[in-house]
Amino acid sequence: MENTKANNFLQTIIADDIKDGIVKEVVTRFPPEPNGFLHVGHAKAICLNFGLAETYGGRCNLRFDDTNPEKESQEYIDSIQEDVRWLGYQWSGDVLFASTYFDQFFAWAIYLVEAGNAYVCDLSAQQAREYRGTLTEVGKNSPYRNRSIEDNLGLLEAMKAGEFADGEKVLRAKIDMASPNMNMRDPILYRIRKLPHHQTGSDWVIYPTYDFAHGQEDAIEGITHSICTLEFEDHRPLYDWFHQHLPIGNKPNQYEFGRLHLNYTVTSKRKLKQLVDQGFVSGWNDPRMPTLAGLRRRGYTARAIRKFCDMIGVTRSDGIVDVAMLEHAIRDDLNENAPRAMCVLNPLKVVLTNYPEGQVEELMVPAHPNREQMGERLVPFSGELFIDAEDFREQANKKFKRLVIGKRVRLRNAYVIEADEVVWDDAGKICEVRARIIEDTLGRDPADGVKAKGVIQWVSADRGERAQVRVYDRLFTDEAPDRGDKNFLDYLNPNALRTIEEAMIEPSLTEALPEQNFQFERIGYFVADRYDHSAAAPVFNMTIGLRDTWNS
RNA sequence: UGGGGUGUCGCCAAGCGGCAAGGCACUGGGUUUUGAUCCCAGCAUUCGUAGGUUCGAAUCCUGCCACCCCAGCCA
């Protein structure tokens, strides 16, 4: 795996810890909650955590932070593992689950109660909010704050035994209701949730909160550097508080970095789920989605996504990355690695009047213009072919470097032709162009010195194949669809998907395997759909268009 | 308004007291059977702002301003 990027502040911290002998082996973790599919923002965290472990010869765990059964499911557990592997990472040992530690967490809860550091509180959610105070006013102590240790112990066991209803009681840490840090105002450790859990079934009716679980999970696993996003910075004092007040040997340290924001994109599991649930996209893996499953189906390679993460860096400032950077990463990768092929999206028939009827030439052409080692392919040439309707005009100015009546154009990898006349159908629409081949222009310029203006792609009408091509555009029309009080759904791009049923592809493309990437020359990069493509019914998804500096 | 953060080119980002890397985007020019790629050139006398310290500051100090996060029994 490539670790090209220069140092970020976390590498500096880790390098120092190693140098100072504070850690012998770096252990990180990627801790998703299984309540949605992974998106490009998670890719940043994955590359960071796994990358750091890799760079310093340590290891990285994949741990599901499954402390809230309400929104979690097996579907997400499966997809997350698949996506992490697809990105190219292997976690240390088995997949881990926070729920595996529930017994230990409970024992620690009892420890805190016995030490007088936690209590059972009967305040309702509403009352608790009132007692908590506000950003500028201190909170008030709960009337239940000074229950005896014996009472608390009995109540906690009763909570665990299911003797109370959801919301009736919680376990809280006894810290400081006047703390300017809201997280320290007697945070909740356990809440009652009479719900089956995907891992522990009906074993528990009380579940630990994120705060009471995360740092302890890290400690149990021997995590040395617990890396999370900026919004958890205020939780760090609490993260440390548990380590100080619990009989824990290993004390991990939490570090925060800026979450990835991409323009023209939403990266919030809640919003992505909404797009799926309300049918705005076909699923979590819809090629328009910024999910890893969606990007994959769109034709993004894992290598390009890793490169992208490398390019954007890791800092504590939170900016908005231009989606053009992501697009550059995939273009760069595919330009290098995708074999070329020809496809006509909007077929217009061209009849070559001086080409021997019925003749077919099998042209051997390179798979890549600058990489001989990628081999060659056979492309049949015949007297009737299709070019893109946009590549022909009856007349045009000099800027138009394609086919024009009376002018010449190079057919990519084949002959130069000159257009003679247009044939219209009954509706007055151009249905055919009649043209002539310029003799002896295979691999050389016309002998008369009149060069072709440009180059266009084509497909043999007899030997080409039909294909469905899905052309994608960004999902949102607004650069920041969810900023401020805007409703992101108001900015959905109605043209984010355009399905072309009758595109024509060169025959070699029927051999494409699902997920194989190509460059359709002069158009863009495409991938054979992971699920819907077959030789009998080819389906290609546009990954990204070629860079286009031509303005007309 | 209390607490915690962040402010270096349109965007991302190096820099950690010695005279502003790099990438993306953009703009010129060259090569080209992809208006692609590739190549070459240009692109912050200035580092949120106002002062101070210093021979010297983006880097140290002070004030101010802007933006982000926190009042879930979500993570």
Side-chain angles (χ1 to χ4, degrees):
Chain A
M1 212 129 301
E2 60 275 47
N3 277 301
T4 51
K5 181 65 184 183
N7 288 11
N8 59 49
F9 74 101
L10 292 167
Q11 293 178 319
T12 305
I13 288 169
I14 291 175
D16 285 348
D17 285 350
I18 291 171
K19 176 162 57 69
D20 299 342
I22 294 168
V23 299
K24 56 299 164 205
E25 182 188 24
V26 174
V27 187
T28 57
R29 103 267 92 115
F30 173 59
E33 184 190 15
N35 65 348
F37 275 54
L38 260 24
H39 54 67
V40 63
H42 293 106
K44 180 178 180 182
I46 293 168
C47 291
L48 215 210
N49 280 294
F50 283 92
L52 248 17
E54 210 167 71
T55 301
Y56 297 98
R59 53 198 163 85
C60 180
N61 293 343
L62 171 61
R63 177 179 75 224
F64 286 103
D65 211 359
D66 56 346
T67 57
N68 182 4
E70 201 176 349
K71 300 178 294 181
E72 301 166 5
S73 78
Q74 188 62 42
E75 178 198 6
Y76 300 133
I77 290 172
D78 295 340
S79 72
I80 288 169
Q81 292 182 61
E82 183 181 9
D83 290 344
V84 171
R85 265 192 246 107
W86 175 73
L87 246 198
Y89 295 103
Q90 184 55 58
W91 48 88
S92 170
D94 295 329
V95 175
L96 304 173
F97 292 87
S99 51
T100 310
Y101 317 134
F102 281 177
D103 284 322
Q104 176 63 264
F105 293 161
F106 189 74
W108 277 333
I110 288 175
Y111 182 93
L112 287 179
V113 169
E114 286 175 338
N117 286 324
Y119 63 97
V120 172
C121 180
D122 299 4
L123 251 28
S124 68
Q126 171 65 244
Q127 292 171 313
R129 192 175 312 128
E130 288 159 8
Y131 272 77
R132 190 152 37 228
T134 69
L135 296 178
T136 53
E137 301 164 64
V138 300
K140 288 182 303 194
N141 283 167
S142 162
Y144 306 98
R145 201 174 201 256
N146 292 315
R147 286 219 251 232
S148 70
I149 287 172
E150 292 65 36
D151 285 353
N152 279 320
L153 248 18
L155 256 11
L156 180 55
E157 289 292 353
M159 277 171 67
K160 184 191 182 210
E163 291 173 27
F164 304 113
D166 284 18
E168 203 175 327
K169 285 181 166 47
V170 294
L171 180 72
R172 296 228 247 168
K174 191 185 287 186
I175 305 181
D176 179 11
M177 289 306 291
S179 172
N181 181 344
M182 300 297 285
N183 295 119
M184 301 300 272
R185 319 247 262 225
D186 289 11
I188 288 165
L189 274 34
Y190 268 102
R191 68 298 210 180
I192 301 170
R193 275 272 193 297
K194 294 188 171 169
L195 283 174
H197 185 285
H198 48 94
Q199 299 302 309
T200 60
S202 54
D203 291 354
W204 296 87
V205 295
I206 60 173
Y207 292 95
T209 55
Y210 165 85
D211 285 311
F212 188 58
H214 208 92
Q216 285 78 288
E217 296 161 17
D218 288 340
I220 290 169
E221 295 175 13
I223 301 301
T224 54
H225 301 265
S226 180
I227 299 162
C228 61
T229 43
L230 254 22
E231 65 269 29
F232 291 100
E233 185 155 24
D234 287 344
H235 293 246
R236 194 168 64 217
L238 185 52
Y239 180 98
D240 293 336
W241 190 91
F242 287 122
H243 289 154
Q244 286 157 213
H245 294 264
L246 255 14
I248 290 174
N250 177 51
K251 297 189 193 326
N253 287 304
Q254 174 182 303
Y255 301 95
E256 310 83 20
F257 71 97
R259 171 192 286 277
L260 168 68
H261 300 284
L262 258 192
N263 60 11
Y264 295 101
T265 309
V266 299
T267 42
S268 137
K269 276 196 260 187
R270 199 206 103 230
K271 288 177 181 135
L272 294 176
K273 188 170 192 304
Q274 200 177 335
L275 291 172
V276 173
D277 292 345
Q278 297 181 14
F280 292 109
V281 294
S282 65
W284 285 97
N285 64 6
D286 186 298
R288 289 167 289 186
M289 293 284 273
T291 51
L292 294 181
L295 289 165
R296 175 179 182 177
R297 195 169 175 196
R298 177 78 171 258
Y300 274 75
T301 59
R303 184 173 45 222
I305 292 172
R306 275 186 256 118
K307 172 78 186 308
F308 168 70
C309 290
D310 209 52
M311 281 196 300
I312 60 176
V314 177
T315 67
R316 284 176 61 82
S317 63
D318 61 15
I320 299 168
V321 173
D322 193 336
V323 72
M325 280 214 223
L326 214 210
E327 297 175 344
H328 172 265
I330 187 60
R331 281 198 187 101
D332 199 39
D333 180 29
L334 263 18
N335 173 54
E336 185 75 4
N337 301 301
R340 315 283 122 130
M342 291 193 287
C343 169
V344 170
L345 294 179
N346 185 11
L348 169 63
K349 182 174 279 186
V350 172
V351 176
L352 300 172
T353 54
N354 63 344
Y355 195 79
E357 187 148 354
Q359 179 173 318
V360 174
E361 281 178 88
E362 296 287 347
L363 305 176
M364 186 63 93
V365 314
H368 189 113
N370 329 309
R371 298 187 71 195
E372 239 176 73
Q373 66 273 33
M374 284 184 74
E376 302 179 303
R377 67 192 200 270
L378 241 26
V379 181
F381 184 87
S382 57
E384 290 196 0
L385 28 93
F386 290 112
I387 64 168
D388 198 291
E390 288 173 21
D391 287 337
F392 171 76
R393 285 185 195 173
E394 288 178 75
Q395 49 196 188
N397 62 26
K398 286 194 180 60
K399 303 269 286 184
F400 189 77
K401 307 200 305 188
R402 312 178 197 179
L403 191 60
V404 177
I405 292 294
K407 299 284 171 52
R408 293 176 178 181
V409 80
R410 161 73 67 180
L411 293 177
R412 175 66 169 160
N413 294 129
Y415 299 94
V416 170
I417 62 171
E418 186 169 316
D420 295 319
E421 56 180 324
V422 178
V423 178
W424 289 270
D425 62 13
D426 297 339
K429 190 168 165 277
I430 294 174
C431 62
E432 183 180 311
V433 174
R434 300 180 73 80
R436 264 172 303 114
I437 251 186
I438 306 300
E439 299 291 337
D440 204 27
T441 50
L442 219 43
R444 69 185 61 151
D445 285 331
D448 62 10
V450 183
K451 292 188 180 179
K453 292 278 283 242
V455 183
I456 64 174
Q457 81 277 19
W458 53 276
V459 172
S460 161
D462 309 317
R463 302 281 300 280
E465 301 281 346
R466 279 267 160 76
Q468 183 189 89
V469 173
R470 299 161 180 171
V471 176
Y472 296 99
D473 195 0
R474 40 181 65 135
L475 225 203
F476 294 96
T477 54
D478 191 281
E479 190 173 338
D482 54 357
R483 185 167 56 197
D485 47 19
K486 289 191 281 193
N487 177 355
F488 72 111
L489 295 175
D490 292 341
Y491 301 92
L492 274 167
N493 179 1
N495 304 314
L497 166 61
R498 195 173 110 232
T499 303
I500 296 171
E501 299 291 352
E502 310 211 314
M504 293 297 293
I505 54 174
E506 62 170 75
S508 73
L509 246 15
T510 58
E511 290 162 31
L513 267 13
E515 298 210 87
Q516 208 177 331
N517 303 91
F518 295 92
Q519 182 197 100
F520 287 175
E521 288 188 290
R522 299 212 316 126
I523 308 174
Y525 297 96
F526 291 78
V527 66
D529 190 83
R530 184 179 175 192
Y531 304 108
D532 301 335
H533 173 84
S534 69
V539 177
F540 290 92
N541 300 331
M542 172 185 260
T543 306
I544 186 75
L546 248 30
R547 188 159 164 273
D548 184 6
T549 51
W550 187 62
N551 305 300
S552 67

